Amino acid sequence: MSETTAISVPRPRTAVANAPQRLTTARGAALYIGALLGPGLLLLPGLAAAEAGPASLLAWAGLLGLSALFAVVFTALGRAFPSAGGVIGYVAAGLGARQGLAAGWSFLAGVIAGAPVVCLIGAGYLTELTGGGRTGQAVIAAALLLTVLALAAGGMRTSATAQLLMVSLLIVVVIVAVAGSAASAHAANWTPFAPHGWLAVGHAATTLMLSFVGWEAVAPLTAQFADPARQLPRVVGITLAVTSVLYLGLAVVTIAVLGTGGGSMAPLADLLRRAIGPAGTAAGAVAAIVLTLGAVNAYVNGAAAMTGRLLTGGEADGRRHRPPGRLLLLAAIAGTGLPLIALYGVGLVSPVSLVAIPTTLFLTVYLGSMLAAARVLRGLARLAAIPATGATAIMLAYCGWALAVPVAIIAAVTVTGSIRRSR
């Protein structure tokens, strides 16, 4: 056990890493909500509606229930392994050091694959305002990606306050879109309820999972509450309530107002346009660009620290990550993101395909975390980990071809470990 819990890797969330030493209930809830909400909310409700129709609401409801299980499990992991450094330590504690490293590399790959998706989301809202179509969107997305990589290379970091302000912006935008566009709902958009069959609900759930990643990032915050036993249940309850209202409200209105048209790259812009007129498109574009730059910057800076640790095989030698680790990460994001954006621009990949890769990687990390939790935790947390493991495994089964990515990562970590042992 001592071998695994010594691994320490910072979380790829700047807002979490910069949290104060003693969290109030309100501040803790804000950070937890901030870890769960992100730019994906600007796109994913529309994709889910296009995949499963009104039946996608079942996927939302199921994932909200699963999110509650994740909250219980990751909170317990954070309290049991306060110095474990996130998912690598959690998985290593239950499944072994090699599996912990595989989880870390999978999470890092998810960040790398997710960066171009976030940039495409922001670009989609901007092209709603300026025009340019798919090609224009790809060009803008590439420019956004290069901009945030340049900022990261220069050492710019997103503060916790800035992150919370961006989350507040997203919440306001969603509330305005939902409340303002609800009057444009059409009853006909609810029929047929499951136009693509009931199995499509599972596909919608895997797409939406990207909106529920975040509990692993805030789990280590448990040690920063003055009275965790009293504060944590309140914080988790507030977080679940706020995210549930926002997610379900936006999902319902997306279907009721946009119907099958909700599958565009900028569904929230469509809702805002109906809510406040032409200015809604501009408001959506501004919000999307701010969220894109902030979110990708936070992920890149946090992941840079993780890269340094992973390049040393997870050895916690007390030294800060070396600059080459950051440069390698930035090169990996550019080398992966720009080709993916180009493929989208020429119509060879769809938004669903792009979302599938990071979603599958994060699901793999969550599966490892839930399996580990079922082995090392006791009581309510273990009871929550068991069904969460099953639900995560079922969603992974829907990922299809994208499963090849985490399988390749696990195989590479296994081979590398074997080579090191043979020396």
Side-chain angles (χ1 to χ4, degrees):
M1 187 70 70
S2 60
E3 173 194 15
T4 58
T5 56
I7 299 173
S8 178
V9 180
R11 285 87 60 200
R13 299 271 184 161
T14 302
V16 172
N18 291 343
Q21 289 301 309
R22 278 293 174 261
L23 287 174
T24 64
T25 299
R27 180 79 173 182
L31 287 173
Y32 272 54
I33 293 168
L36 289 176
L37 297 181
L41 196 58
L42 302 178
L43 169 68
L44 299 183
L47 292 185
E51 283 189 299
S56 61
L57 289 179
L58 300 178
W60 281 106
L63 285 174
L64 286 169
L66 182 58
S67 186
L69 298 180
F70 287 152
V72 172
V73 174
F74 278 114
T75 297
L77 286 171
R79 297 181 70 176
F81 306 99
S83 62
V87 293
I88 295 181
Y90 301 154
V91 175
L95 304 180
R98 186 181 300 174
Q99 288 75 15
L101 289 175
W105 282 112
S106 295
F107 199 97
L108 187 63
V111 172
I112 293 171
V117 176
V118 175
C119 290
L120 278 168
I121 293 172
Y125 279 75
L126 193 57
T127 52
E128 283 286 313
L129 180 65
T130 63
R134 197 179 184 109
T135 301
Q137 182 183 352
V139 171
I140 294 173
L144 287 174
L145 184 62
L146 290 174
T147 298
V148 78
L149 292 180
L151 293 174
M156 179 180 174
R157 296 178 181 274
T158 307
S159 68
T161 300
Q163 287 293 97
L164 293 177
L165 287 174
M166 285 185 285
V167 171
S168 299
L169 172 64
L170 177 59
I171 291 175
V172 170
V173 169
V174 171
I175 291 174
V176 170
V178 170
S181 64
S184 300
H186 300 284
N189 288 336
W190 291 96
T191 55
F193 187 75
H196 307 297
W198 296 107
L199 289 179
V201 175
H203 290 291
T206 59
T207 298
L208 292 173
M209 182 63 195
L210 206 57
S211 287
F212 291 85
V213 173
W215 290 111
E216 81 296 333
V218 292
L221 289 179
T222 53
Q224 296 180 14
F225 289 102
D227 186 2
R230 179 181 61 85
Q231 291 177 280
L232 273 175
R234 296 180 182 180
V235 168
V236 171
I238 292 171
T239 302
L240 287 172
V242 171
T243 54
S244 296
V245 170
L246 289 175
Y247 285 156
L248 287 179
L250 185 56
V252 169
V253 171
T254 297
I255 294 169
V257 175
L258 303 180
T260 56
S264 73
M265 283 294 287
L268 197 60
D270 296 334
L271 294 176
L272 286 169
R273 188 161 49 246
R274 294 171 187 253
I276 58 178
T281 304
V286 172
I289 296 302
V290 171
L291 288 166
T292 297
L293 293 175
V296 177
N297 183 263
Y299 266 107
V300 168
N301 280 293
M306 177 179 280
T307 303
R309 295 293 189 181
L310 288 172
L311 289 176
T312 63
E315 297 296 332
D317 57 6
R319 294 176 295 178
R320 294 177 63 85
H321 66 276
R322 294 171 294 177
R326 171 180 287 269
L327 296 179
L328 285 173
L329 172 68
L330 298 180
I333 294 175
T336 302
L338 293 176
L340 286 176
I341 290 172
L343 289 174
Y344 172 82
V346 297
L348 293 180
V349 296
S350 66
V352 173
S353 298
L354 289 174
V355 170
I357 298 174
T359 298
T360 304
L361 289 163
F362 289 134
L363 277 170
T364 301
V365 173
Y366 270 52
L367 179 62
S369 299
M370 295 302 105
L371 284 171
R375 294 189 64 183
V376 300
L377 298 180
R378 297 292 181 269
L380 177 63
R382 188 175 187 222
L383 291 177
I386 293 172
T389 299
T392 306
I394 291 173
M395 282 193 290
L396 269 172
Y398 277 90
C399 291
W401 61 269
L403 285 168
V405 181
V407 168
I409 291 174
I410 294 171
V413 171
T414 301
V415 171
T416 302
S418 299
I419 293 175
R420 285 179 176 172
R421 281 205 322 271
S422 65
R423 289 178 179 174

